[in-house]
Amino acid sequence: MAFGAPRYIDFSDGVPDMVKQFVVYFYRHIRERNIPEIFSMYEVSFAKLSERFFKGTTWPPVEYIAELVDKDSVFCLLYKEMYFRHLYATVQPTLEQRCESWDNYCAIFNIMLSSSINMQLPNGWLWDMVDEFVYQFQSWQQYRGKLNTKSAEELETLHNCDRVWSILSVLNYLQALVDKSGIVAELSTPGGMERFYKTEGYDAGSNVLRMVGYFSLVGLLRVHTLVGDYHGALKALAVVHPFQRTNLYTPKIAGCNIALYYYSGFCYLLLRRYLDAARAFNNVLNYIARVKQYHQRSAQYEQILKKNEQMYALTAIVLALCPAAQRELDENVMNTLREKYNEKMMKMVRGVDSTYEELFAYACPKFITAAPPNLDAPSANTNQEAYRLQLRCFLGLVQEQRHLPSLKQLLKLYTTISLPKLASLMDLDEATLRSQLILLKTTGFCITWNGEGDATAGTRQAATDIEFHTDIDEEGVELVTVAEVKPVRRQGEFLARHIAKFEEIVRDLNMPIPPPAVDGAVPLPRAAVAGY
Amino acid sequence: MVDESKSTFTGAAGYDPNRLSQLEENVSSQVKSGAYDMDANLALFRHYNFAPEKANIQAMATVLIKAQMQLPNHDFAQLLHLIPERLQEEQPVAALIALTQHLEGARFQAYWQAADSCKDILASVPGYYDAIRAYILLAISSTCQKFGKQLLGDSLMLDGAALEKLIQGHKDWTESKAQNGREIVIFPKIEQSSSRSQGATPGGMKVDVAQLGLLLQTVH
């Protein structure tokens, strides 16, 4: 990223008054457990002050504000959490800053794990904390991978901090938060999901550990995905199930919901569970279309749009590999997909590897090499290795299937065709053609979640847009018999959607015209204000 | 992916590097007992991925063989995503990858040829050939209603008595002979996953009862 040279403000002349006030009120609201106020200061005021006073630089180090908050140790840790998050978003963090931020997260999590937190914090912030923790881990791995640009001094420091941001430490923290919070047991009890969904964790004592435990499940999903452990990633989700959406809490926090479906959808794609992948993406693409208008002024808006585009690209890959997965997509998602990727989808169907690669590179997560680089041979850059490994496995699959689309196209022209004739049309020998036919058949099945078990469970289901089998006639000639699959149109849903839309229009037409809003304040719908 | 619900290597235990030797012993006991524990094997590969210098190539190969036996499930493909490129090129890992590619690409005769060169390690896992033959049979019998007997034998690497025994063992298979003398095995009728009759009928829409329910819900 192209950051300008960081400009560090000298705070010895004092911290701006507005910032002082912010800290004092923020501290007071946290002490008073005033969730709406905390959230508004966290979400709105912090961003405004950052923009006004600390653009391209950092907030005052914690020493400058500690006096204002009775040197409250937990508040100071939380302040530093925000301080570092702003720092990471604004300037290129140094090695020391990365280590300090790691220590700060460890301190926060250790307090949570020792159950000595009695405060209530907005859930949106707690999600951001887990999300940022994983982001900074990923950023560390990227940074550490570039050994060729490190000074001898930096290499020495890296030698001495092998535990800092190590993947095992990160996984262990997330897992410990899950275990200690008891969230899996809580949500597994009858009615647990519903209670959690309604109270949002604010009902009993402190919400902090419970919610952080819950969000850590999504954190684990992400970390596992980054190293290519897709099965482990879905397994780690435990009680958070992308397809059990009744009382699923994640849609209340946009970032969390998008992360859940982006990473789980990606895992399903790489596990060749195309129907599940399409289903996950379809769900969240609809979700984004619905909620994005409420996030236009949020710092996450750009991120949301980017994930939206990436997931359309991944959906295009899913459909190119498994056209039958279209049945999992709603009409509007399918239409948008055609607008965006029609041409690229055609290319992929024709077997153009470079288009697969292009979309994969654009839409995949930033993979990491979990193993530490060899610090004694500091010329390597390991960041590309992880990506190359995942790409290689993926393209291997694509190349195996490259003849299938043209085979399918030919088959669709016939109801019966003899194997030798088909072989000459395909320009293949008979043995190869027989293999291709079997391959076409076996790739027409994928493991699909069928309503039971965790996110890794599923049964083998047909996912094909062509039905055929081979036969041998009385003269001993092999034949291929084809029956085209007409997709089962789900007219019911189509009609239901249009009836609902029609009723909405009629209702809107009958509504009295509201008075013009004062000073541009748009009344936000409930969904936009909930989620703190 | 089977037999994984009882794994003791999920959650925190799956991240504990001190359990590495335990996980490797677990692989041997899976071979002995014929069991399969994907979560434990995944935990082992996770450790190898985090610390490739600790990778025990023999244990790795055994796990890959067990995973290959799970076809048509893609356990093997998942594990491959966790093996650093350098190790993918080492033997016998490279050979096992090639074998899986042959199986997935339905190049069965090529598979048997390649399998011959690493038969010692393959035979060290009891039940290996049975599992692979079961997969090949599944692939063939779901694609082909009738199949040449000779070709079936070649695809399964069974001839003479062994092939006869297999055919006799399947009561729902029948044999016949074409006019040109070609011997044919007929498999049970292939179920089409969906038939032509479904879908839109010309000139109107068909809404079934379940979907009608949905419509009524919307209207109210």
Side-chain angles (χ1 to χ4, degrees):
Chain A
M1 272 184 271
F3 293 113
R7 105 198 132 76
Y8 289 103
I9 301 181
D10 180 9
F11 288 104
S12 52
D13 295 343
V15 175
D17 282 343
M18 279 178 81
V19 175
K20 277 189 191 162
Q21 268 176 26
F22 170 82
V23 171
V24 170
Y25 279 109
F26 198 40
Y27 177 53
R28 184 193 291 172
H29 290 317
I30 288 181
R31 289 188 58 112
E32 289 168 359
R33 296 178 158 209
N34 186 340
I35 295 285
E37 279 302 324
I38 303 172
F39 190 67
S40 147
M41 293 194 76
Y42 168 80
E43 183 81 1
V44 182
S45 318
F46 186 77
K48 278 192 180 149
L49 290 172
S50 299
E51 179 69 20
R52 175 155 172 201
F53 293 105
F54 309 115
K55 215 174 170 180
T57 182
T58 66
W59 275 65
V62 69
E63 316 69 282
Y64 289 91
I65 60 102
E67 295 288 348
L68 301 171
V69 294
D70 315 329
K71 296 191 173 164
D72 183 286
S73 61
V74 176
F75 182 85
C76 285
L77 292 174
L78 293 174
Y79 176 85
K80 276 166 80 182
E81 200 270 333
M82 292 169 69
Y83 166 91
F84 280 117
R85 179 133 41 101
H86 173 256
L87 185 152
Y88 268 77
T90 317
V91 301
Q92 188 74 259
T94 64
L95 178 55
E96 286 71 29
Q97 286 164 336
R98 289 172 191 274
C99 293
E100 276 175 50
S101 183
W102 165 254
D103 289 341
N104 194 58
Y105 274 114
C106 292
I108 293 177
F109 291 153
N110 287 339
I111 291 178
M112 289 179 187
L113 289 170
S114 65
S115 310
S116 48
I117 278 202
N118 56 12
M119 51 177 62
Q120 297 251 13
L121 293 177
N123 290 341
W125 184 0
L126 296 173
W127 159 252
D128 287 347
M129 234 182 250
V130 174
D131 189 45
E132 180 72 11
F133 176 65
V134 177
Y135 166 75
Q136 290 191 13
F137 157 71
Q138 183 186 311
S139 165
W140 166 269
Q141 299 286 336
Q142 299 279 335
Y143 165 83
R144 192 185 57 173
K146 290 180 209 146
L147 287 180
N148 42 3
T149 58
K150 301 275 181 293
S151 66
E153 200 182 329
E154 281 176 309
L155 286 174
E156 181 59 32
T157 318
L158 274 176
H159 248 305
N160 297 330
C161 48
D162 56 339
R163 280 183 66 82
V164 175
W165 292 117
S166 90
I167 187 160
L168 278 177
S169 313
V170 169
L171 286 170
N172 276 317
Y173 263 118
L174 293 173
Q175 187 66 47
L177 290 163
V178 170
D179 292 346
K180 187 80 187 178
S181 70
I183 193 73
V184 174
E186 180 185 337
L187 295 186
S188 306
T189 54
M193 286 288 242
E194 193 183 352
R195 208 160 43 241
F196 186 76
Y197 180 78
K198 284 195 179 135
T199 62
E200 306 191 10
Y202 291 123
D203 53 339
S206 166
N207 66 328
V208 173
L209 182 58
R210 277 165 94 194
M211 296 313 294
V212 168
Y214 183 84
F215 295 137
S216 292
L217 294 169
V218 181
L220 284 169
L221 165 75
R222 178 169 167 191
V223 176
H224 281 283
T225 310
L226 292 179
V227 293
D229 183 359
Y230 306 116
H231 180 85
L234 293 171
K235 194 91 198 168
L237 275 178
V239 282
V240 182
H241 198 303
F243 303 139
Q244 284 178 330
R245 284 157 57 199
T246 317
N247 294 320
L248 182 68
Y249 172 76
T250 56
K252 295 198 186 185
I253 303 219
C256 181
N257 198 47
I258 293 169
L260 169 65
Y261 285 97
Y262 169 73
Y263 288 102
S264 59
F266 189 82
C267 289
Y268 283 127
L269 168 59
L270 276 268
L271 290 171
R272 310 184 192 177
R273 296 175 59 157
Y274 304 116
L275 297 180
D276 287 338
R279 190 171 175 189
F281 292 137
N282 180 62
N283 178 6
V284 74
L285 289 169
N286 273 319
Y287 171 84
I288 294 177
R290 220 164 43 235
V291 305
K292 70 175 177 198
Q293 52 176 320
Y294 309 131
H295 293 276
Q296 274 171 8
R297 277 177 294 175
S298 132
Q300 295 172 1
Y301 190 57
E302 293 291 307
Q303 261 305 309
I304 292 177
L305 293 188
K306 178 155 190 217
K307 280 279 166 286
N308 191 53
E309 291 304 305
Q310 287 181 316
M311 286 190 284
Y312 270 110
L314 292 174
T315 311
I317 294 180
V318 171
L319 282 206
L321 288 171
C322 177
Q326 189 181 333
R327 69 172 186 239
E328 299 293 331
L329 300 184
D330 289 339
E331 204 184 319
N332 53 323
V333 172
M334 196 57 217
N335 290 342
T336 315
L337 185 65
R338 280 211 189 94
E339 274 166 37
K340 287 179 194 285
Y341 285 110
N342 207 15
E343 201 183 317
K344 295 211 161 111
M345 274 160 62
M346 305 283 260
K347 276 192 185 165
M348 287 191 283
V349 165
R350 283 204 307 272
V352 181
D353 285 358
S354 59
T355 309
Y356 278 104
E357 185 172 343
E358 179 194 331
L359 292 191
F360 186 87
Y362 167 67
C364 70
K366 275 197 159 51
F367 296 114
I368 53 168
T369 299
N374 183 358
L375 293 167
D376 303 320
S379 62
N381 176 342
T382 60
N383 291 332
Q384 281 302 309
E385 276 175 29
Y387 166 71
R388 268 210 322 269
L389 171 62
Q390 301 306 317
L391 180 70
R392 173 174 149 158
C393 295
F394 174 70
L395 284 184
L397 167 76
V398 168
Q399 281 154 2
E400 184 78 83
Q401 301 183 13
R402 68 183 174 279
H403 293 304
L404 298 187
S406 51
L407 176 58
K408 228 178 334 189
Q409 266 178 348
L410 264 178
L411 285 178
K412 282 183 179 171
L413 301 175
Y414 295 88
T415 48
T416 320
I417 180 173
S418 77
L419 197 78
K421 185 173 172 196
L422 185 59
S424 72
L425 288 173
M426 285 288 293
D427 206 9
L428 296 171
D429 63 72
E430 285 183 32
T432 310
L433 177 61
R434 222 175 270 122
S435 296
Q436 290 292 316
L437 286 166
I438 295 176
L439 179 63
L440 178 59
K441 188 58 119 181
T442 48
T443 51
F445 290 92
C446 51
I447 308 282
T448 306
W449 190 72
N450 66 356
E452 279 173 18
D454 66 14
T456 62
T459 48
R460 201 159 171 262
Q461 287 182 20
T464 180
D465 53 347
I466 188 160
E467 286 292 355
F468 71 96
H469 64 261
T470 70
D471 215 330
I472 300 176
D473 70 9
E474 287 169 6
E475 285 158 23
V477 181
E478 285 175 79
L479 301 170
V480 187
T481 308
V482 189
E484 194 187 344
V485 180
K486 291 247 172 62
V488 184
R489 293 244 182 99
R490 291 180 297 182
Q491 314 286 12
E493 275 174 42
F494 174 83
L495 292 172
R497 200 162 50 238
H498 281 269
I499 292 171
K501 211 181 236 173
F502 177 69
E503 285 187 340
E504 208 170 292
I505 293 169
V506 172
R507 201 176 53 233
D508 285 355
L509 286 173
N510 289 334
M511 269 215 295
I513 299 163
V518 191
D519 63 280
V522 185
L524 284 175
R526 251 169 51 95
V529 244
Y532 40 71
Chain B
M1 300 177 195
V2 289
D3 282 349
E4 59 189 4
S5 53
K6 281 170 274 162
S7 178
T8 45
F9 297 98
T10 49
Y15 310 130
D16 183 357
N18 298 322
R19 297 218 185 189
L20 191 63
S21 57
Q22 213 178 323
L23 284 165
E24 284 169 353
E25 282 161 27
N26 184 282
V27 173
S28 321
S29 69
Q30 284 177 53
V31 169
K32 279 195 204 101
S33 65
Y36 179 68
D37 186 345
M38 175 63 170
D39 285 325
N41 295 344
L42 205 54
L44 179 66
F45 271 52
R46 200 178 291 143
H47 288 305
Y48 289 165
N49 182 25
F50 297 172
E53 72 281 359
K54 290 187 191 158
N56 174 339
I57 208 94
Q58 222 46 51
M60 198 177 235
T62 310
V63 169
L64 288 173
I65 293 172
K66 292 290 275 185
Q68 200 176 67
M69 291 161 65
Q70 306 305 312
L71 280 167
N73 284 347
H74 300 301
D75 294 23
F76 190 98
Q78 158 64 80
L79 293 171
L80 206 54
H81 283 283
L82 287 168
I83 308 176
E85 272 182 309
R86 188 176 56 74
L87 290 175
Q88 290 198 16
E89 276 143 28
E90 270 186 42
Q91 291 301 354
V93 175
L96 291 170
I97 294 173
L99 288 182
T100 304
Q101 284 168 348
H102 286 317
L103 285 173
E104 288 188 338
R107 295 181 294 273
F108 302 130
Q109 275 145 302
Y111 160 81
W112 287 110
Q113 256 173 22
D116 193 49
S117 59
C118 42
K119 55 175 180 272
D120 292 343
I121 176 163
L122 296 177
S124 71
V125 178
Y128 173 77
Y129 290 111
D130 290 343
I132 298 303
R133 287 198 174 99
Y135 170 68
I136 295 175
L137 254 183
L138 172 74
I140 291 176
S141 65
S142 57
T143 313
C144 311
Q145 188 63 73
K146 297 179 187 164
F147 204 67
K149 190 171 172 182
Q150 174 68 38
L151 203 53
L152 183 66
D154 293 346
S155 303
L156 294 169
M157 197 61 157
L158 293 174
D159 50 14
L163 185 59
E164 289 305 328
K165 199 178 152 205
L166 178 84
I167 294 172
Q168 298 311 319
H170 286 82
K171 295 287 174 240
D172 48 356
W173 297 4
T174 45
E175 286 187 83
S176 85
K177 205 174 239 182
Q179 285 162 12
N180 62 359
R182 187 172 184 185
E183 288 182 286
I184 295 166
V185 178
I186 306 169
F187 297 117
K189 186 149 176 49
I190 296 173
E191 290 288 328
Q192 304 289 16
S193 49
S194 52
S195 66
R196 273 161 174 270
S197 64
Q198 284 174 317
T201 44
M205 283 183 181
K206 228 170 46 177
V207 177
D208 65 24
V209 178
Q211 296 193 331
L212 193 64
L214 181 75
L215 281 181
L216 291 173
Q217 263 177 18
T218 319
V219 175
H220 292 285

